[in-house]
């Protein structure tokens, strides 16, 4: 189809929206390593996982072979309220850069959670409701995941308990307020409401909390209260499965116009966005049907792919979660509080880790001042104020487009714009005031936390 | 077309988007009263308006006869970045209410300004650029208009000076930061940078400012600096013209599915949203081609239609702007600071005032606690956190749908959802904490400010 017929925004019709999620693992020859029981060193069984996660989600977590898993009708109807998300042709950015590259972005920020997190939140809430549960518990740091889960639970009339890292609870009262408006109870973590919270408060009076501690509290409440389960917004296979809706829609939209991307770029924290965006493209790559450059972008302050090690590690700092094999900086690694984005997880999805290990993904890290420079440049011509996380992908998309300007190549670049930055304006203010700096961990910092990796029992 | 084929969201294609704005005045037998020069009492000429407004916008302001005015291609291309906005079928809200009514809303919040204001901001910035101006000045209260104008100016590389009511500047630092990110200079008003600002500061040390004062400062800077003009986000005929894009898209979307609305509901502050939403429907009504109930919803705290008087009044409290004939509470009327929404203007668009006077529009006022109750109910089932302004329309749409539940009537209700509430969470917090109250002006309050209406020279 002729170039000039490509609209600014490609929307799918409701009929064109995916009816099944795509399970990337089904096409992987080297499957991601299984979750292990930290006590026994043995792969966790469905029975062991069921007290923590909903039954159907345990099945999805362990299913390595089914290529497509049907999206239940209730979830598809909820998706219709805020999806399909647009695939946007960045005409204005291309013109501003003077690049012959064609830039597209899949924009997931047009919903009140402000990010792609809602795609998995609604699925997890649905299965909890279907199982007849009373409610779910979770942790949240910056608040995107907690907001998404609150919205999903309110839709299905489920109780929702969110443990919010105390420093965020205090510094981001607006995120907290959105969750309350959706009926969630939001508890600053560490709290006196759990054993692990009390223990941490006794040991570290005045601590402002951490994601790892909030996870531990949420898991404790879920496992001790009948009718509750714990849910998580990233890292897990089930989450990547649900997020495949991003990539499936992207691929259908591109196919409608006969567009073949050369480069696909996504930011990577725990991997939920990147894994979802690339899923069907990676499937083609694994099956030898097509080739794409796939680039994971991580912050230089928390560089698990580019400077981490591939090993079994805890998913939480409290060390009560299962062990996952992944690229990790060590579960005791704490990224600088200076970093504005939400890409602060020490590890990475096992599925993406295996693919990176096998050479199917490239990774690069970027510094936050250059990320905000790209964010502002993007905002001014494309009209969307991007989230700091998403702006990591913008940075690399712009860099690749500028390389095309030098070489004259008309490459097609697709990146994931995961969300909006409306709740990140403290960071924008720092940038606007020229007070933002970069903090990169030293080799010694990383070596120290990697030295503390758990020993896996033989 | 069969009921069940109506999707959750009706999107137009780019080809179906309006290519011209609709000038509602062309179909009015009783034209809106002209703006008057407060000194002479005579209608303002194009020559008198040109030092304040851009030339092309003066033409649009005074044009009462041309039915359609072409949307320049640059503006249409900008519209394509965030439009068409979806017309959403509120299936989930209908189900929750158990109403046989069919509810649709036109959602204008999916852009970084968070509201419909961008539709006119980009037009006004375009004409300023076309005229070769250096920049524009404006005022902003809650910040939606200032944000929209900052985005528009950044796109056309125009300088943008925003006078932000000081209390908002201090209480809404995030709105301010978005504007700065788009390159605008934001000055708390009253300021020492203008004569009128200095005068007000001398007379009222420690004042936290008002919209009227910010308007006066913005007008002063525009008229004293070569290459600058003043722009306004509501009330004016030109603004209603640009905002007709909302109604034109709505009508095209409804027509695609053969839907005829019975009731059209919009919130009303200065009238920019309501006037835009209803434009083509009102045109049909004026031409006798169709009939619709059209309801303007205003806050009980600032009830210009329902408790104001129809007279010439100043648009600003500083009394330096032209006189407009409108429903007004008097330019000295100050709505309670307790009110959370942005619908705090003492007057109303002259065009809408004439239509209300002639019986084509109904008006109703609602109290803010019931507005936030509706907002929360809507957010929980429809997934969008609405702006307080928009929630005035939600309140009345829900009330009308509940009446249908009683009578069994299957009415079709369309309302305007002008924006999102991400920057209004202080108000949501008040509501969540049970600390929100209603403040309704007494008859004496209103009589006192109406007694101060200017005398129009004969």
């Amino acid at each position: 189809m002729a170039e000039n017929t490509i609209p600014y925004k490609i929307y799918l019709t409701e009929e064109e929206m995916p009816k099944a999620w795509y399970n990337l693992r089904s096409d992987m020859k080297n499957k991601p390593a299984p979750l292990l029981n930290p006590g026994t060193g043995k792969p966790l069984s469905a029975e062991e996982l069921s007290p923590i996660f909903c039954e159907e989600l345990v099945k999805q977590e362990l299913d390595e072979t089914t290529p497509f898993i049907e999206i239940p009708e209730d979830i598809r109807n909820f998706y219709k309220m805020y999806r399909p998300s647009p695939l946007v042709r960045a005409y204005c950015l291309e013109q501003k850069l003077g690049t012959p590259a064609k830039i597209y972005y899949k924009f997931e920020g047009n919903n009140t959670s402000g990010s792609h997190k809602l795609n998995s939140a609604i699925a997890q809430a649905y299965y909890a409701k279907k199982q007849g549960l009373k409610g779910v518990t979770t942790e949240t740091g910056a608040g995107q995941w907690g907001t998404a889960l609150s919205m999903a639970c309110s839709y299905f009339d489920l109780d929702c308990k969110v443990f919010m890292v105390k420093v965020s609870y205090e510094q981001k009262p607006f995120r907290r307020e959105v969750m309350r408006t959706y009926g969630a109870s939001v508890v600053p973590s560490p709290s006196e409401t759990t054993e692990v919270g009390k223990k941490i408060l006794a040991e570290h009076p005045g601590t402002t909390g951490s994601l790892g501690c909030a996870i531990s509290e949420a898991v404790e409440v879920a496992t001790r209260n009948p009718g509750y389960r714990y849910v998580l917004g990233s890292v897990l296979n089930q989450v990547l499965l649900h997020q495949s809706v991003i990539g499936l829609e992207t691929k259908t939209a591109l196919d409608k116009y006969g567009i073949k991307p050369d480069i696909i770029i996504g930011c990577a924290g725990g991997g939920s966005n990147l894994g979802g965006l690339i899923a069907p493209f990676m499937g083609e790559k694994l099956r030898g049907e097509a080739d794409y450059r796939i680039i994971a972008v991580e912050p230089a302050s928390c560089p698990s792919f580019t400077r981490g090690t591939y090993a079994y590690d805890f998913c939480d700092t409290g060390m009560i979660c299962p062990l996952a094999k992944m690229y990790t900086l060590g579960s005791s690694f704490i990224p600088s509080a200076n970093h504005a984005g939400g890409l602060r997880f020490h590890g990475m999805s096992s599925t993406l880790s295996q693919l990176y290990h096998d050479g199917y993904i490239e990774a690069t890290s970027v510094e936050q001042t250059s990320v905000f420079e790209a964010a502002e440049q993007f905002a001014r011509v494309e009209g969307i104020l991007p989230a700091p996380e998403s702006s990591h992908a913008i940075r690399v998309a712009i860099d690749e487009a500028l390389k095309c300007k030098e070489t004259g190549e008309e490459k097609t670049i697709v990146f994931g714009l995961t969300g909006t930055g409306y709740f990140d304006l403290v960071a924008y203010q720092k940038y606007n005031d020229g007070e933002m700096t970069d903090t990169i961990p030293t080799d010694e910092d990383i070596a120290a936390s990697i030295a503390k990796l758990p020993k896996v029992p033989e």
Side-chain angles (χ1 to χ4, degrees), chain A residues 363-430:
Chain A
T364 185
S365 74
V366 289
E367 295 175 22
Q368 72 172 343
T369 48
S370 81
V371 165
F372 274 81
E373 184 194 25
E376 190 177 278
Q377 189 173 12
F378 178 85
R380 290 191 182 189
V381 290
E382 290 290 322
I384 297 168
L385 188 80
E389 295 82 357
S390 326
S391 305
H392 287 71
I394 297 175
R395 172 73 276 163
V396 173
I398 289 177
D399 291 345
E400 291 293 333
L402 291 175
K403 281 184 206 161
C404 288
K405 187 178 180 176
E406 278 181 28
T407 62
E409 288 173 289
E410 296 187 16
K411 286 187 183 167
T412 296
I413 299 168
V414 174
F415 71 89
L417 190 73
T418 54
T420 51
Y422 306 142
F423 292 91
D424 300 288
L425 284 155
V426 170
Y428 272 98
Q429 181 166 5
K430 255 193 172 172

Side-chain angles (χ1 to χ4, degrees), chain A residues 38 52 196 212 215-220 314-322:
Chain A
I52 307 175
V196 64
I215 293 177
S216 307
E217 290 200 83
V219 171
E220 181 184 316
F314 287 100
C315 292
D316 63 329
T317 38
M319 301 188 187
I320 64 169
C321 284

Side-chain angles (χ1 to χ4, degrees), chain A residues 231-418:
Chain A
V231 298
L232 183 67
S234 193
V235 181
L236 297 174
N237 294 321
Q238 56 187 271
V239 177
L240 266 68
L241 175 73
H242 307 148
Q243 295 294 358
S244 70
V245 70
I246 305 172
L248 292 166
E249 280 187 9
T250 303
K251 185 144 179 19
T252 305
L254 291 171
D255 286 350
K256 263 176 100 160
Y257 289 87
I259 304 160
K260 278 272 168 205
D262 297 296
I263 308 174
I264 302 169
I265 301 167
C267 61
S272 69
N273 157 63
L274 182 70
L277 175 67
I278 67 173
F281 303 98
M282 181 59 81
E284 288 185 299
K285 196 167 170 170
L286 289 167
R287 296 189 303 269
E289 297 164 7
D291 198 16
Y292 306 100
R293 271 187 73 197
I294 292 175
I295 307 177
V297 189
E298 53 185 20
S301 61
C302 192
S304 42
F305 266 152
T306 51
R307 296 176 66 196
T309 192
Y310 189 40
Y312 266 105
D313 194 7
F314 287 100
C315 292
D316 63 329
T317 38
M319 301 188 187
I320 64 169
C321 284
L323 295 172
K325 190 171 180 190
M326 55 187 176
Y327 279 84
T328 179
L329 297 161
S331 65
S332 63
F333 179 82
I334 309 278
S336 163
N338 171 50
H339 185 67
L343 309 171
R344 295 164 54 85
F345 187 62
H346 64 275
M348 181 61 69
S349 138
S350 289
T351 298
L352 294 181
S353 292
Q354 184 67 48
L355 290 167
Y356 180 63
H357 188 69
D358 291 343
Y360 290 102
I361 299 177
E362 299 170 37
T364 185
S365 74
V366 289
E367 295 175 22
Q368 72 172 343
T369 48
S370 81
V371 165
F372 274 81
E373 184 194 25
E376 190 177 278
Q377 189 173 12
F378 178 85
R380 290 191 182 189
V381 290
E382 290 290 322
I384 297 168
L385 188 80
E389 295 82 357
S390 326
S391 305
H392 287 71
I394 297 175
R395 172 73 276 163
V396 173
I398 289 177
D399 291 345
E400 291 293 333
L402 291 175
K403 281 184 206 161
C404 288
K405 187 178 180 176
E406 278 181 28
T407 62
E409 288 173 289
E410 296 187 16
K411 286 187 183 167
T412 296
I413 299 168
V414 174
F415 71 89
L417 190 73
T418 54

Side-chain angles (χ1 to χ4, degrees), chain A residues 42-117:
Chain A
K42 300 268 182 272
L44 280 162
S45 66
E47 290 67 35
E48 288 174 294
L49 287 168
S50 292
I52 307 175
F53 299 121
C54 301
E55 281 162 29
E56 196 64 31
L57 293 168
V58 169
K59 268 191 216 163
Q60 294 179 357
E61 190 62 33
L62 299 176
D63 185 342
E64 295 182 333
T65 53
T66 312
F68 287 95
I69 293 176
E70 198 192 332
I71 307 174
E73 196 185 352
D74 281 352
I75 300 177
R76 279 194 282 141
N77 283 341
F78 188 90
Y79 279 170
K80 286 177 192 168
M81 288 207 295
Y82 72 100
R83 307 197 68 81
S85 71
L87 181 71
V88 186
R89 173 73 183 266
Y91 282 117
C92 298
L93 181 62
E94 291 170 17
Q95 200 185 357
K96 186 80 178 180
L97 298 174
T99 176
K102 294 166 186 60
I103 307 175
Y104 295 85
Y105 55 91
K106 180 70 168 169
F107 179 42
E108 292 287 319
N110 272 349
N111 70 75
T112 288
S113 83
S115 82
H116 67 293
K117 294 288 184 189

